[in-house]
């Protein structure tokens, strides 16, 4: 920790929503505190109602370093946690980090430089998925392949430039305050929705492969399926709430679900030719898993098609079954919570 922060650099507030993060919380916070950044910094952890040792670990971190603070988030919802942490923080640059995300050592310094160089309201980089066992390695490979997530540069990498959205994000505080923070009705997809509003107001969202956050994938098929079902469900809500925010990449999974379901019905009831579509899909993900799994152990490579199918089918099913009532709730809350610092 620097005794005398460099006042020529903007002070930074790192905000972190956490819920049941005992496995990764200490490592995530220690990666923040070890940043190669000479400006002033604080970390605000918004604590949801965890049922594991998350609160205990957070209390230890507060005792160990005066830069770490906590605020309560009784709802357990991510956007509410983010708004609570923003309100409790005080610096002009706001860095969002999750409790299972590990910042690269120069992440904050690079992000602050990019904010200055580009004039962007929010900058972000690559969600670098890394596993700790065969299943997580498989999910990480699926999440960083184009067959898994299409052309989303924050998953697969790409050239620096303007973007629709970025992973997590490093914001100018005035942009967050101008937009009223995160819309707390968006249980998922709140980042995409906020970035859409920033862009609609004329702000620039900037992607750079220089920024990298290590991400720990969901540990089971069931957890991955729920994650991607929620992604699809809430991405449809964004599409209903913000006209013109959808594109072909987001329509691919629900189209695949419908085509495979139709093929199975036709194949079972009418003609074996109906099985061509689901058979072709299985062949495609099996072939796509080969380059995605390069360098991984055999057990991990064999799990990649399962991870890909889980992601695609769950996202598509969530999109197709997203109830219109969710959009009505969101539209009823068009004025997000004000999150100016006290």
């Amino acid at each position: 920790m620097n005794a005398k922060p460099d006042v020529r650099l903007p002070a930074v507030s790192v905000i972190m929503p956490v819920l049941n993060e005992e496995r990764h919380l200490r490592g995530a916070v220690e990666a923040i505190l070890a940043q190669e950044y000479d400006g002033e910094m604080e970390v605000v952890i918004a604590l949801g109602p965890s049922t594991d040792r998350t609160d205990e670990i957070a209390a230890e971190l507060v005792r160990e370093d005066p830069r770490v603070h906590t605020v309560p988030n009784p709802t357990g919802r991510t956007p509410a946690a983010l708004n609570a942490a923003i309100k409790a923080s005080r610096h002009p640059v706001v860095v969002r980090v999750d409790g299972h995300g590990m910042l690269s050592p120069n992440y904050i310094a690079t992000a602050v430089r990019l904010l200055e160089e580009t004039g962007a309201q929010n900058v972000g980089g690559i969600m670098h998925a890394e596993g700790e066992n065969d299943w997580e390695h498989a999910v990480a490979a699926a999440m960083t392949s184009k067959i898994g997530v299409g052309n989303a540069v924050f998953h697969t990498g790409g050239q620096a430039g303007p973007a629709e959205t970025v992973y997590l994000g490093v914001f100018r505080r005035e942009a967050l305050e101008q937009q009223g923070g995160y819309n707390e009705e968006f249980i998922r997809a709140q980042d995409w929705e906020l970035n859409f509003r920033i862009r609609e107001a004329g702000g620039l969202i900037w992607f750079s492969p220089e920024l990298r956050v290590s991400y720990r994938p969901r540990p089971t098929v069931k957890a991955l399926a729920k994650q991607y079902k929620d992604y699809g469900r809430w991405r449809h809500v964004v599409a209903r709430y913000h006209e013109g925010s959808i594109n072909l990449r987001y329509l691919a999974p629900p189209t695949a679900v419908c085509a495979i379901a139709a093929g199975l019905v036709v194949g079972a009831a009418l003609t074996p030719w109906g099985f061509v579509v689901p058979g072709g899909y299985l062949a495609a993900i099996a072939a796509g898993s080969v380059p995605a799994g390069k360098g991984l152990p055999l057990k991990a490579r064999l799990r990649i098609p399962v991870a890909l199918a889980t992601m695609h089918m769950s996202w598509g099913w969530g999109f197709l079954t997203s109830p219109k009532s969710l959009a009505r709730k969101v539209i009823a809350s068009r004025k997000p919570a004000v999150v100016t610092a006290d």
Side-chain angles (χ1 to χ4, degrees):
M1 174 178 172
N2 293 330
K4 293 182 179 180
D6 189 339
V7 295
R8 294 171 297 179
L9 294 170
V12 170
S13 296
V14 182
I15 60 171
M16 178 183 286
V18 298
L19 179 68
N20 294 326
E21 289 286 2
E22 69 173 2
R23 184 179 173 192
H24 301 300
L25 178 58
R26 175 168 287 277
V29 173
E30 288 177 348
I32 297 167
L33 299 176
Q35 285 289 296
E36 298 169 359
Y37 185 67
D38 293 329
E40 185 179 354
M41 184 171 61
E42 66 175 350
V43 182
V44 182
I45 304 171
L47 296 171
S50 296
T51 56
D52 61 9
R53 294 184 60 252
T54 295
D55 287 9
E56 181 181 338
I57 294 168
E60 292 172 358
L61 291 165
V62 170
R63 289 194 299 269
E64 293 167 6
D65 197 303
R67 293 174 292 177
V68 182
H69 314 280
T70 61
V71 292
N73 173 36
T75 69
R77 294 181 172 183
T78 299
L82 291 166
N83 283 344
I86 293 168
K87 186 175 181 180
S89 67
R90 54 197 174 91
H91 294 323
V93 174
V94 179
V95 180
R96 178 188 169 173
V97 184
D98 284 343
H100 46 271
M102 307 293 171
L103 299 186
S104 53
N106 63 346
Y107 182 89
I108 291 177
T110 302
V112 169
R113 172 176 60 80
L114 289 171
L115 284 174
E116 179 63 26
E117 290 177 354
T118 65
Q121 300 300 304
N122 180 20
V123 299
I126 294 175
M127 177 184 180
H128 183 67
E130 294 181 331
E132 296 181 339
N133 55 46
D134 289 331
W135 167 249
E136 291 180 3
H137 286 314
V139 177
M143 292 180 70
T144 54
S145 68
K146 289 189 175 181
I147 192 173
V149 294
N151 62 350
V153 292
F154 67 87
H155 281 295
T156 61
Q159 297 295 316
E164 289 184 345
T165 191
V166 290
Y167 180 53
L168 301 178
V170 178
F171 299 84
R172 298 178 188 271
R173 178 177 290 276
E174 62 262 28
L176 294 172
E177 293 182 348
Q178 180 185 21
Q179 293 302 324
Y182 292 84
N183 188 322
E184 295 185 12
E185 291 298 320
F186 280 90
I187 309 305
R188 297 288 185 270
Q190 65 275 156
D191 295 300
W192 207 103
E193 195 275 337
L194 173 59
N195 285 319
F196 184 90
R197 284 188 279 126
I198 291 174
R199 288 189 289 110
E200 287 289 286
L204 174 65
I205 310 299
W206 187 266
F207 166 82
S208 174
E210 292 183 77
L211 297 172
R212 178 167 163 160
V213 182
S214 294
Y215 168 86
R216 300 292 186 256
R218 295 297 193 271
T220 65
V221 174
K222 182 178 179 181
L224 182 68
K226 182 181 186 305
Q227 178 188 20
Y228 272 77
K229 179 184 175 183
D230 287 344
Y231 282 170
R233 185 185 201 196
W234 285 94
R235 188 62 188 82
H236 201 166
V237 176
V238 176
R240 293 187 183 115
Y241 184 55
H242 294 298
E243 293 183 7
S245 66
I246 201 70
N247 60 40
L248 292 178
R249 176 164 68 88
Y250 296 112
L251 295 176
T255 301
V257 170
C258 291
I260 290 170
L264 291 173
V265 170
V266 171
L270 299 175
T271 171
W273 286 105
F275 294 120
V276 169
V277 173
Y281 172 76
L282 292 175
I285 61 173
S289 69
V290 174
K294 186 177 180 180
L296 292 179
L298 177 61
K299 289 183 178 179
R301 295 201 303 270
L302 292 175
R303 287 167 170 78
I304 294 175
V306 178
L308 288 170
T310 301
M311 291 162 55
H312 295 161
M313 296 299 102
S314 299
W315 204 103
W317 181 251
F319 189 94
L320 291 169
T321 59
S322 177
K324 291 184 178 180
S325 60
L326 288 178
R328 288 196 291 270
K329 290 178 183 178
V330 168
I331 291 169
S333 64
R334 281 186 181 271
K335 185 178 180 181
V338 177
V339 294
T340 53
D342 291 335

